[in-house]
Amino acid sequence: MIALGLLAGCGGGGGSSSGSDDDGGGDVPASNGRNFTIKPGPDATRDMIAAMIQAAPGDVIQFECGYYELTSSLQLSHTEDVLIKGCGKDGTVLSFKTNNAPEGILAVSVRGITIQDLTVVDTAGNGIELRGVDHATLSRVRAIWSSGGGRASADPINASNFAAKIKVPCTDPATANPDAPENKLLGALADTTSPDYTVSKLSGRYGIYPVSSENVLIEDSESIGASDAGIYVGQTNNAIIRNSRSAFNVFGFEIENVQGGEYADNLAECNTGGFLIYDLDGLRQYGGRSRMHGNTARMNNTYNFTSGGIVGNVPSGSGMITLAYDQIDIFDNQFIDNDTAGIIHTSYEIFPEGAGRPAEHRIDWYTEGLHIWHNKFVNNGNHLPLPTTTNLANQDVAKFLPAIVGLKNQVACLIPTNLAQCLSAGVSNLAGVRGAHIIWDGLLDSYNKDCPRPLDANGEPVPLDARGKPVLSNEVPDPSCHYNAYKFDTAASGAPRKQPDWTPSCIDDDNDFSSDSLAFSNFHGTKGLELIVSSSLDLAAIAKFPADLDITPHRCKAQYGRNLDALPPVVIPPFVRSGDYDPAPSAEQVEKLCKASVAAGAVNFDAAKVNCPTLDQYHLFEDAQDPTSKPLGGGVPYVLNTKLFTDYAVKYRVAYLPPGTTAVYRDSSGNGVNAALTFPAGTIIAKTFSFDDQAAGTEVPMETRLLIKRVSSKGVARWDGLPYVWSTDAATGKRVAKLTLGGAVTSAHWDHTDIDSGQRHSGSTSTYLVPHANQCLSCHSNEDNEPGAAPIGPKVRFMNRPYQSESQRVTGQSQHEVAGKNQLAYWCSHGLIAGCPTDLGVDETRQIAARIERIPTFNKPGDAGFAAGTPQDIEARARAYLEVNCAHCHNVRGFAASTGFYLDSLRKVDVTYGICKNPTATGQEGKGGRTYDIHPANVADSVLAFRIGPEATTPAARMPPLARSVVDEEASALIQQWIGTVITADEAKYPGSTSCGG
């Protein structure tokens, strides 16, 4: 069925489903599936793409045994019940080291997916990533980066050595950072190497990475070498990670903002930290209720080889860390040979302002309801990692934590009542500072009686969960204070804390603590160190300098008469197909519809139901060889105020509505920030990308992308994206655009004067990307829009302008009767949009409607209505560019929702807009050595300026990741100007802007 021979990898036979049983395990057979078999060799990438863009319910994408060099990600979007499998995680190895996209395997908005029996190697970003997936099972998979730098390794995993190199033992991790000046000086005397594996900040970020999903099972799997977390589940409901291993990652396992998580029978070894359960601020949901049992955390002493973000603060030697996350059961685990502690129980209060402490007030800083019982602790906290000279020079307080704990414990051991306990644990001399099996920062909030219950965007009190805690997310306006009345008995005198429900932790008597370490230490955070940490003297806090080694306040049954109730196991319900996806049409149906005769001047709307092999079969243009010619069938050309930058391509956009139908007017005020015009079924939107060569007097169309709104047999609407690539047919000599569902990478050059700014741009690229059909969905898919590749350009505020072609050439489209007229007024007056406001308020001279929303043209000073070059003008234009180029992903319902970094032009420029916000998952390459997404008045420390600028050259760094291979010079200069000269540390204008620190 697919053009250009893409079905070469399609085999016959049945399929296998991604369903799971009542606890999420097992492979369930499916019916009516196809089997796409991929073999190693030069055609593997082509065959893989052919399979993935067709994947339908019950289909199997099967990789045979062997080593694969794949130049594209394996991406699934908007389908269900698909199985991706190899012949075993030691037998099928998929290398992505030459892939020009960050991910190896990526599933977006899929219902029911199983990935099993394979290894993913050397991705630029994440190994296996799931976003917006419901019911996923990952069984017997591995993500690994070549020792010593991933795809930059001098000794990479390849076809001849993979059998040995993908099996990595943990015998002796490197505990000292080789980049620290003192360790360079010590050379071989410093513990900077491991005989097993060499970690590197150049490795990708996450090994296995489900985010913003639900009902996820990861089992019998492994991650090696991730520069962030090995096996991660974030912002997800119902997640089980079991029988898996993580080694030589910064964090082995991570549960972040998860509601209902379970770690069972896993092994974390030779990581910086073993297990993490925590909440991060600024995200779409906060977590609670996780169980950790049957796991082993051993020898997690690798030096921290990432930078920035919360994971950059993790001290090596951490068996398990919990932070700001309520209700955790930890039982039947082993914590062995972790240099700092077996368990670290801490809060955001310990972080200084501007150095990890959240600026928002939605997140609760403290973990409460931590229940620890029947665990075994051996040799934890006995080799505390000391800060390096670089940490000292940078005043990196987080890296001081182990030393602070050790010093406070040592002082505590000088107190006579602690002497026997310290001597039995071997903590007897001032030179031998130690941690403990369990350490707690001892920080708790007190009742904030003056803080009211938070309100939602409509001014109504936010709902409460079963424990009385507000259900908050980044869609709720940031309150002015931390509401915590639910933790306290406000009716009783003194409003005491509700115990043990809101106690920090219950530590039962049946834990087995070896006598080689202190069992427990409450080190009181940085109390007593105020003069050093914050340059202020607090005499009352000096009494808190010595740690408290008494565990008895955490014996909850003795203290409060009862213990915390055990949490129920996480249960993943059985997967059931939705039935929303129709089987693919037959080749006969495609031929009949695409080759049907059509009346002169009409569009072949019947063919919109299928993917025609060539663009001309839809009858969209008067000249079938020229997609800039007059649109047929009442098609209307349109432009945007600010457009998506695509390597200086000139765009021609045309909307075709079936006869007798209309679109529906929708804007942000009534329908949300992602609201675009709603189009009728059968609508075709065409966008042609051309490259202008003014010196040669030519302009050559490169590709035409179609968005077609289709309706399934069950009445479910879906937008499909189809790429067509232009070429000259060798037989006829005519120009033809052929369906290229697999996408393409080609060269392009331009010599073009921008129609808005008047600036001339010349250049070329050898890596212009025509996205494959599934990549279209990455940008065009939002949870609050219609399924599939829904249009993102036709928004009211983007189209409020007169029509003028982006090209200086005279074309059939530039001469359309809409030319020079306000586009929305034209569409409304010609019956193309229903529900238009009665009076748009169109200015007859400028042809701009004053009574409806609008964003300006980013490179046209003064277009926002402010005097050109003023701070208001610069900000409005910068925000327009960021919205059009970034906000289709960076919004609360988009592909990048999990980042908590949102760029629509309608929100305040605050922490959610990146002000003094640490990036959540960019990794070393994506940060470029910067600290905050936006650092007021500091371009050099702003990740945003880096990622759209010339220094971001790799797939893991460049943003947007798909649309460009070169830099938009005008936009980069504008964003730098905005950050450097307009955004200031001013809380009234930019909330959170004083929290960057320094």
Side-chain angles (χ1 to χ4, degrees):
M1 278 183 46
I2 301 300
L4 305 179
L6 285 178
L7 280 182
C10 181
S16 180
S17 164
S18 57
S20 56
D21 59 23
D22 62 357
D23 73 347
D27 304 325
V28 180
S31 58
N32 304 320
R34 300 166 292 177
N35 195 314
F36 297 89
T37 301
I38 319 296
K39 299 179 180 180
D43 296 332
T45 298
R46 183 201 68 180
D47 295 344
M48 177 190 74
I49 293 174
M52 73 192 195
I53 59 181
Q54 299 177 77
D59 285 352
V60 178
I61 300 174
Q62 181 167 355
F63 292 87
E64 293 189 347
C65 292
Y67 178 86
Y68 295 73
E69 291 277 5
L70 299 170
T71 58
S72 172
S73 302
L74 197 173
Q75 181 172 336
L76 290 183
S77 298
H78 289 80
T79 186
E80 68 177 355
D81 199 13
V82 174
L83 170 63
I84 300 169
K85 65 183 295 188
C87 74
K89 71 173 185 283
D90 295 336
T92 297
V93 176
L94 312 181
S95 174
F96 293 91
K97 66 183 177 184
T98 59
N99 180 23
N100 198 34
E103 304 85 11
I105 298 176
L106 173 65
V108 181
S109 299
V110 175
R111 289 193 72 259
I113 179 173
T114 290
I115 306 171
Q116 66 186 44
D117 297 314
L118 53 81
T119 285
V120 169
V121 174
D122 286 341
T123 58
N126 306 321
I128 301 173
E129 178 174 346
L130 312 177
R131 284 184 180 268
V133 170
D134 180 6
H135 280 85
T137 300
L138 279 65
S139 295
R140 303 175 297 279
V141 298
R142 177 191 292 113
I144 186 172
W145 284 267
S146 293
S147 176
R151 54 173 55 187
S153 171
D155 184 21
I157 296 169
N158 57 41
S160 64
N161 64 25
F162 73 85
K165 287 189 176 292
I166 61 176
K167 296 180 180 180
V168 178
C170 163
T171 63
D172 182 15
T175 61
N177 187 341
D179 294 331
E182 64 271 29
N183 293 330
K184 289 182 179 180
L185 185 64
L186 288 170
L189 296 177
D191 187 19
T192 59
T193 62
S194 167
D196 307 315
Y197 183 87
T198 301
V199 297
S200 173
K201 63 185 179 184
L202 299 179
S203 294
R205 299 188 294 272
Y206 296 89
I208 298 172
Y209 185 64
V211 66
S212 302
S213 299
E214 57 185 328
N215 300 315
V216 172
L217 170 66
I218 301 168
E219 61 182 357
D220 302 308
S221 296
E222 184 175 52
S223 176
I224 307 291
S227 65
D228 199 301
I231 299 179
Y232 162 105
V233 178
Q235 301 170 61
T236 290
N237 301 324
N238 284 4
I240 301 172
I241 306 171
R242 68 188 182 198
N243 300 315
S244 295
R245 175 181 184 251
S246 273
F248 294 101
N249 310 281
V250 177
F251 243 112
F253 296 87
E254 182 173 335
I255 283 178
E256 174 197 272
N257 296 63
V258 167
Q259 295 176 5
E262 188 141 4
Y263 286 136
D265 304 309
N266 302 292
L267 172 61
E269 56 182 355
C270 286
N271 306 285
T272 301
F275 295 86
L276 174 64
I277 301 177
Y278 82 121
D279 268 0
L280 190 63
D281 56 303
L283 301 182
R284 58 189 295 163
Q285 72 176 44
Y286 294 103
R289 307 182 319 278
S290 279
R291 290 164 28 105
M292 177 179 170
H293 57 94
N295 304 281
T296 297
R298 64 175 289 271
M299 215 185 305
N300 292 292
N301 302 322
T302 297
Y303 69 90
N304 194 320
F305 56 99
T306 194
S307 64
I310 194 68
V311 173
N313 292 323
V314 172
S316 64
S318 304
M320 184 269 177
I321 296 179
T322 177
L323 171 68
Y325 186 104
D326 291 340
Q327 293 188 286
I328 305 172
D329 282 357
I330 301 177
F331 60 98
D332 294 336
N333 305 283
Q334 297 186 76
F335 301 92
I336 303 171
D337 298 335
N338 300 291
D339 284 350
T340 296
I343 296 175
I344 300 175
H345 174 193
T346 189
S347 68
Y348 279 113
E349 186 180 344
I350 199 172
F351 293 93
E353 210 170 305
R357 178 180 292 188
E360 64 153 65
H361 299 93
R362 288 175 286 237
I363 189 170
D364 177 15
W365 288 358
Y366 308 91
T367 288
E368 288 135 330
L370 173 64
H371 190 188
I372 302 171
W373 79 93
H374 205 253
N375 302 282
K376 183 176 182 179
F377 296 84
V378 179
N379 189 32
N380 298 295
N382 288 326
H383 296 89
L384 292 177
L386 299 178
T388 65
T389 53
T390 304
N391 301 147
L392 294 169
N394 294 337
Q395 297 184 335
D396 191 345
V397 176
K399 298 298 193 301
F400 300 171
L401 178 63
I404 290 172
V405 171
L407 184 59
K408 288 185 160 218
N409 283 349
Q410 197 67 53
V411 173
C413 286
L414 299 177
I415 299 173
T417 54
N418 295 327
L419 186 58
Q421 183 179 354
C422 292
L423 287 173
S424 66
V427 188
S428 56
N429 65 79
L430 291 175
V433 292
R434 307 287 182 87
H437 290 307
I438 300 175
I439 63 174
W440 174 43
D441 67 12
L443 302 173
L444 283 174
D445 51 349
S446 55
Y447 175 40
N448 190 349
K449 62 182 179 62
D450 297 320
C451 188
R453 180 172 163 184
L455 304 178
D456 63 20
N458 298 316
E460 297 294 326
V462 297
L464 305 177
D465 66 14
R467 303 170 75 225
K469 185 175 183 177
V471 180
L472 296 170
S473 72
N474 54 24
E475 295 183 63
V476 175
D478 188 24
S480 60
C481 54
H482 281 108
Y483 173 76
N484 66 355
Y486 53 91
K487 301 181 185 181
F488 301 90
D489 185 355
T490 57
S493 176
R497 182 177 290 270
K498 298 175 182 176
Q499 303 282 21
D501 303 270
W502 291 98
T503 195
S505 66
C506 293
I507 305 174
D508 294 0
D509 292 332
D510 57 2
N511 290 290
D512 180 2
F513 297 107
S514 67
S515 61
D516 51 29
S517 308
L518 292 170
F520 172 82
S521 170
N522 168 6
F523 65 95
H524 303 302
T526 57
K527 299 292 185 184
L529 295 170
E530 283 74 14
L531 193 59
I532 298 173
V533 174
S534 60
S535 301
S536 62
L537 180 62
D538 185 350
L539 294 175
I542 292 177
K544 296 287 188 179
F545 183 79
D548 182 351
L549 308 181
D550 184 7
I551 199 171
T552 56
H554 301 268
R555 306 299 196 199
C556 290
K557 191 169 183 179
Q559 293 292 317
Y560 312 116
R562 70 181 181 90
N563 216 329
L564 288 165
D565 295 329
L567 297 172
V570 172
V571 175
I572 296 177
F575 171 73
V576 179
R577 285 188 194 172
S578 69
D580 291 342
Y581 298 88
D582 288 339
S586 67
E588 292 75 19
Q589 289 175 301
V590 173
E591 183 173 18
K592 178 180 179 180
L593 291 170
C594 294
K595 292 186 176 180
S597 60
V598 181
V603 167
N604 186 4
F605 281 107
D606 286 340
K609 301 171 185 175
V610 298
N611 302 345
C612 289
T614 58
L615 182 67
D616 61 286
Q617 292 174 317
Y618 293 109
H619 295 258
L620 300 177
F621 304 106
E622 186 175 61
D623 182 348
Q625 299 185 67
D626 181 8
T628 74
S629 62
K630 178 183 176 182
L632 299 178
V636 182
Y638 68 96
V639 291
L640 308 181
N641 295 327
T642 288
K643 66 179 181 179
L644 179 73
F645 175 75
T646 316
D647 289 348
Y648 292 104
V650 174
K651 317 276 183 65
Y652 295 86
R653 303 170 184 83
V654 185
Y656 300 86
L657 278 62
T661 66
T662 60
V664 177
Y665 185 96
R666 296 170 77 241
D667 62 18
S668 64
S669 63
N671 307 101
V673 296
N674 289 329
L677 302 177
T678 297
F679 291 92
T683 293
I684 302 173
I685 295 178
K687 183 163 69 169
T688 296
F689 297 70
S690 290
F691 285 95
D692 183 14
D693 188 336
Q694 290 179 207
T698 61
E699 186 179 297
V700 180
M702 180 72 73
E703 56 164 321
T704 297
R705 303 177 194 174
L706 300 185
L707 296 179
I708 302 178
K709 186 173 182 179
R710 295 164 172 166
V711 177
S712 75
S713 59
K714 283 195 169 185
V716 178
R718 170 192 166 92
W719 287 89
D720 286 333
L722 308 177
Y724 288 82
V725 175
W726 287 91
S727 62
T728 299
D729 186 87
T732 65
K734 293 183 177 181
R735 295 283 290 171
V736 62
K738 296 180 180 180
L739 180 64
T740 313
L741 286 173
V745 176
T746 186
S747 59
H749 71 274
W750 55 88
D751 179 10
H752 171 67
T753 299
D754 188 276
I755 201 74
D756 293 310
S757 69
Q759 287 198 30
R760 188 163 178 169
H761 300 279
S762 299
S764 64
T765 179
S766 60
T767 55
Y768 175 82
L769 176 69
V770 178
H772 59 66
N774 285 359
Q775 284 175 320
C776 296
L777 293 159
S778 297
C779 293
H780 284 267
S781 176
N782 283 293
E783 294 174 7
D784 53 356
N785 285 346
E786 293 172 309
I792 54 178
K795 293 182 172 68
V796 166
R797 60 186 180 278
F798 295 0
M799 293 179 63
N800 184 359
R801 59 164 291 169
Y803 175 77
Q804 178 187 19
S805 174
E806 291 183 15
S807 173
Q808 296 179 348
R809 294 175 62 243
V810 176
T811 66
Q813 291 172 33
S814 70
Q815 296 177 308
H816 192 280
E817 66 175 352
V818 73
K821 300 174 184 175
N822 181 278
Q823 298 178 118
L824 294 166
Y826 178 89
W827 286 40
C828 290
S829 64
H830 284 72
L832 298 173
I833 306 178
C836 297
T838 304
D839 183 5
L840 301 179
V842 176
D843 178 272
E844 292 300 323
T845 302
R846 298 180 65 213
Q847 285 295 308
I848 291 173
R851 294 179 180 166
I852 57 176
E853 61 191 20
R854 180 178 186 270
I855 66 164
T857 301
F858 90 94
N859 56 353
K860 196 171 182 179
D863 193 52
F866 304 106
T870 60
Q872 297 96 323
D873 168 65
I874 293 168
E875 179 156 302
R877 292 187 292 114
R879 297 193 67 185
Y881 181 85
L882 293 173
E883 175 161 45
V884 172
N885 283 269
C886 309
H888 48 268
C889 286
H890 281 274
N891 69 83
V892 295
R893 291 290 182 267
F895 181 82
S898 62
T899 65
F901 178 34
Y902 308 134
L903 292 168
D904 60 90
S905 62
L906 304 175
R907 69 177 51 246
K908 291 176 70 69
V909 181
D910 58 11
V911 175
T912 65
Y913 204 94
I915 297 295
C916 293
K917 180 185 180 301
N918 295 116
T920 59
T922 59
Q924 178 71 16
E925 284 187 86
K927 284 168 58 66
R930 317 296 175 93
T931 308
Y932 302 101
D933 289 331
I934 298 176
H935 191 157
N938 191 339
V939 174
D941 197 38
S942 296
V943 177
L944 173 62
F946 163 73
R947 300 199 78 173
I948 69 170
E951 296 177 79
T953 57
T954 65
R958 187 176 57 242
M959 280 290 172
L962 297 177
R964 72 172 185 88
S965 64
V966 300
V967 175
D968 187 339
E969 295 169 352
E970 292 184 74
S972 181
L974 176 64
I975 298 304
Q976 290 189 45
Q977 182 185 24
W978 178 49
I979 295 173
T981 67
V982 176
I983 302 180
T984 58
D986 183 334
E987 289 293 329
K989 292 182 179 179
Y990 303 107
S993 59
T994 60
S995 65
C996 282

mmCIF file of all heavy atoms in Angstrom, residues 583-594 610:
data_model
loop_
_atom_site.group_PDB
_atom_site.id
_atom_site.type_symbol
_atom_site.label_atom_id
_atom_site.label_comp_id
_atom_site.label_asym_id
_atom_site.label_seq_id
_atom_site.Cartn_x
_atom_site.Cartn_y
_atom_site.Cartn_z
ATOM 1 N N PRO A 583 -9.118 -0.652 10.231
ATOM 2 C CA PRO A 583 -8.041 -1.300 9.464
ATOM 3 C C PRO A 583 -7.671 -0.468 8.246
ATOM 4 O O PRO A 583 -8.458 0.358 7.771
ATOM 5 C CB PRO A 583 -8.652 -2.645 9.077
ATOM 6 C CG PRO A 583 -10.140 -2.422 9.119
ATOM 7 C CD PRO A 583 -10.369 -1.430 10.211
ATOM 8 N N ALA A 584 -6.471 -0.678 7.745
ATOM 9 C CA ALA A 584 -6.018 0.075 6.575
ATOM 10 C C ALA A 584 -6.857 -0.297 5.355
ATOM 11 O O ALA A 584 -7.281 -1.449 5.203
ATOM 12 C CB ALA A 584 -4.554 -0.230 6.315
ATOM 13 N N PRO A 585 -7.126 0.653 4.449
ATOM 14 C CA PRO A 585 -7.881 0.339 3.234
ATOM 15 C C PRO A 585 -7.053 -0.552 2.309
ATOM 16 O O PRO A 585 -5.823 -0.561 2.364
ATOM 17 C CB PRO A 585 -8.130 1.717 2.600
ATOM 18 C CG PRO A 585 -7.024 2.570 3.124
ATOM 19 C CD PRO A 585 -6.752 2.071 4.514
ATOM 20 N N SER A 586 -7.718 -1.261 1.451
ATOM 21 C CA SER A 586 -7.027 -2.149 0.524
ATOM 22 C C SER A 586 -6.408 -1.346 -0.618
ATOM 23 O O SER A 586 -6.775 -0.185 -0.865
ATOM 24 C CB SER A 586 -8.002 -3.168 -0.060
ATOM 25 O OG SER A 586 -8.948 -2.498 -0.899
ATOM 26 N N ALA A 587 -5.458 -1.972 -1.299
ATOM 27 C CA ALA A 587 -4.829 -1.319 -2.442
ATOM 28 C C ALA A 587 -5.862 -0.990 -3.515
ATOM 29 O O ALA A 587 -5.766 0.041 -4.196
ATOM 30 C CB ALA A 587 -3.730 -2.213 -3.006
ATOM 31 N N GLU A 588 -6.869 -1.860 -3.663
ATOM 32 C CA GLU A 588 -7.916 -1.615 -4.667
ATOM 33 C C GLU A 588 -8.739 -0.379 -4.319
ATOM 34 O O GLU A 588 -9.089 0.430 -5.207
ATOM 35 C CB GLU A 588 -8.831 -2.844 -4.781
ATOM 36 C CG GLU A 588 -8.176 -4.076 -5.368
ATOM 37 C CD GLU A 588 -7.227 -4.778 -4.412
ATOM 38 O OE1 GLU A 588 -7.338 -4.525 -3.172
ATOM 39 O OE2 GLU A 588 -6.375 -5.554 -4.880
ATOM 40 N N GLN A 589 -9.060 -0.218 -3.028
ATOM 41 C CA GLN A 589 -9.806 0.976 -2.602
ATOM 42 C C GLN A 589 -9.004 2.252 -2.857
ATOM 43 O O GLN A 589 -9.544 3.256 -3.331
ATOM 44 C CB GLN A 589 -10.128 0.872 -1.111
ATOM 45 C CG GLN A 589 -11.180 -0.157 -0.750
ATOM 46 C CD GLN A 589 -11.342 -0.281 0.758
ATOM 47 O OE1 GLN A 589 -10.389 -0.602 1.468
ATOM 48 N NE2 GLN A 589 -12.546 -0.027 1.251
ATOM 49 N N VAL A 590 -7.711 2.205 -2.541
ATOM 50 C CA VAL A 590 -6.865 3.373 -2.756
ATOM 51 C C VAL A 590 -6.837 3.749 -4.226
ATOM 52 O O VAL A 590 -7.010 4.917 -4.607
ATOM 53 C CB VAL A 590 -5.434 3.111 -2.233
ATOM 54 C CG1 VAL A 590 -4.501 4.253 -2.609
ATOM 55 C CG2 VAL A 590 -5.444 2.919 -0.726
ATOM 56 N N GLU A 591 -6.636 2.753 -5.096
ATOM 57 C CA GLU A 591 -6.557 3.042 -6.535
ATOM 58 C C GLU A 591 -7.869 3.602 -7.069
ATOM 59 O O GLU A 591 -7.880 4.560 -7.843
ATOM 60 C CB GLU A 591 -6.177 1.770 -7.286
ATOM 61 C CG GLU A 591 -5.995 2.012 -8.785
ATOM 62 C CD GLU A 591 -5.464 0.793 -9.507
ATOM 63 O OE1 GLU A 591 -5.557 -0.313 -8.940
ATOM 64 O OE2 GLU A 591 -4.969 0.952 -10.630
ATOM 65 N N LYS A 592 -8.980 3.036 -6.616
ATOM 66 C CA LYS A 592 -10.280 3.487 -7.106
ATOM 67 C C LYS A 592 -10.536 4.944 -6.740
ATOM 68 O O LYS A 592 -10.991 5.751 -7.570
ATOM 69 C CB LYS A 592 -11.386 2.600 -6.540
ATOM 70 C CG LYS A 592 -12.788 3.009 -6.959
ATOM 71 C CD LYS A 592 -13.840 2.087 -6.359
ATOM 72 C CE LYS A 592 -15.252 2.531 -6.772
ATOM 73 N NZ LYS A 592 -16.283 1.636 -6.179
ATOM 74 N N LEU A 593 -10.267 5.324 -5.502
ATOM 75 C CA LEU A 593 -10.540 6.681 -5.045
ATOM 76 C C LEU A 593 -9.544 7.689 -5.627
ATOM 77 O O LEU A 593 -9.927 8.809 -6.005
ATOM 78 C CB LEU A 593 -10.506 6.736 -3.518
ATOM 79 C CG LEU A 593 -11.644 6.012 -2.805
ATOM 80 C CD1 LEU A 593 -11.366 5.918 -1.312
ATOM 81 C CD2 LEU A 593 -12.978 6.716 -3.052
ATOM 82 N N CYS A 594 -8.292 7.318 -5.681
ATOM 83 C CA CYS A 594 -7.278 8.270 -6.114
ATOM 84 C C CYS A 594 -7.289 8.494 -7.618
ATOM 85 O O CYS A 594 -6.872 9.566 -8.089
ATOM 86 C CB CYS A 594 -5.893 7.803 -5.658
ATOM 87 S SG CYS A 594 -5.696 7.812 -3.863
ATOM 88 N N VAL A 610 -8.183 8.376 1.888
ATOM 89 C CA VAL A 610 -7.030 7.481 1.784
ATOM 90 C C VAL A 610 -5.767 8.281 1.473
ATOM 91 O O VAL A 610 -5.822 9.474 1.163
ATOM 92 C CB VAL A 610 -7.260 6.422 0.677
ATOM 93 C CG1 VAL A 610 -8.454 5.545 1.018
ATOM 94 C CG2 VAL A 610 -7.432 7.073 -0.687
#
